[in-house]
Amino acid sequence: MTNQHLISRRRLIRSAGAAAGLASIPFISAHGQSKLRPVTMRLAWLFQGPNVGFIVARDKGFYEQAGLDVTIGPGKGSGSTAQLVATKDTQFGFVDGYVLGNSVSKGMNITMVGAVYRRNPTAVVVLEESNIKSAKDLEGKTVGIPTGAAQFQQWPAYVKGCGLDSSKVRVVSIDAAGSPPALITGKVQGIAGFAQGYVPSVEIRGDKKVRILWYTDCGVTAVSNGIAVHNDLLKEDPELIRAFTAASLKGFLYGRKHPDEMVVIVKKYSDATDVRITRREAELSWDTWVTPNTAGKPLGWMSDKDWAATVDVLKKYGGVTTPLEAAQLYTNDFVPTGAEYVPPQTGKARS
């Protein structure tokens, strides 16, 4: 297969927000490289800014340099990707830590081997033009949250941490695709979800400025997306995990250092993407790379304190009743230690 033919296959998404079309989206691969080891990887969602590191690693040849031919497939959410890892239908998955913890509590035999979004990306997004300046101002307002989603499960923790009177905030169920339009049109005064997923659509497609009220500012700590594998792979092929993790993290770091090139790469793989939205998605994702407990550590490295806090939220608000410990959910054994893997610290670490 020629490179031109390969790139033509990467024009994958004709409707960027259409989850229903995922089944028809082909995978990114590099068939024909006979000396490379075939590897399967599944994203949490579409080929977009939050997933950009894997796409960059593939496009820049970082996987090839590690001896890997990585096939990257789109996902249908962290829950679905976690299931694929647990059933060994994919070797690697990009999975939210809160979802991973919930999945392990239900018997899934999976582990996170490198966290990219180490800080909780969940937030309540409001319009800047509104009179909502802080979380307390949500009282008397309506907030849209997809029922059953992580942000819905974490909502009681946010309410408690912010000192809100829950009886004074009306919560309605709106799916992720409908949330930005609902905010823009005034159907709701706030929407709760991953900031990098909501904010770009409101700002760029809706031409509205926003204010972000982070869950973490009210003490809701939860490790977010990272690389997950089946526990059997930990024992059977640790060198594969080490090689894949290092190359993937290199992709995220390269994309952050070269944002103009990064958005062009994503556009190459997904022609329907808007480069402005891709860049904004990535920028907001960078806000979640560093926590106080991971400051100065390589990208991928995880803190037991952050995972313990995640487990605490899961037990108090996520419906987890089975025994669950932070140590069951992650390992730092495969995170590269070189200084070149330490991400920028200033202006991005948040409490």
Side-chain angles (χ1 to χ4, degrees), residues 186-235:
K187 183 178 179 180
V188 296
Q189 290 74 57
I191 51 176
F194 283 8
Q196 65 262 38
Y198 284 168
V199 171
S201 291
V202 177
E203 289 181 334
I204 296 169
R205 292 198 174 107
D207 195 26
K208 295 283 188 179
K209 293 184 178 181
V210 304
R211 182 172 294 110
I212 304 173
L213 308 176
W214 297 99
Y215 274 36
T216 51
D217 289 340
C218 290
V220 188
T221 297
V223 176
S224 189
N225 282 61
I227 300 167
V229 302
H230 194 282
N231 289 348
D232 285 349
L233 195 62
L234 295 174
K235 297 173 288 185

Side-chain angles (χ1 to χ4, degrees), residues 285-305:
S285 298
W286 299 336
D287 280 336
T288 69
W289 278 17
V290 180
T291 71
N293 293 319
T294 60
K297 297 293 187 179
L299 188 63
W301 189 91
M302 296 163 279
S303 162
D304 188 68
K305 291 181 179 178

Side-chain angles (χ1 to χ4, degrees), residues 272-291:
T273 58
D274 184 322
V275 294
R276 299 170 302 165
I277 289 179
T278 298
R279 182 162 184 154
R280 186 66 173 132
E281 288 171 340
E283 288 172 349
L284 288 163
S285 298
W286 299 336
D287 280 336
T288 69
W289 278 17
V290 180
T291 71

Side-chain angles (χ1 to χ4, degrees), residues 31 130 169 202 289 311:
H31 301 301
S130 73
V169 184
V202 177
W289 278 17
V311 170

Side-chain angles (χ1 to χ4, degrees), residues 18-35:
L22 285 174
S24 65
I25 298 174
F27 289 24
I28 302 170
S29 63
H31 301 301
Q33 303 288 341
S34 59
K35 295 182 180 180

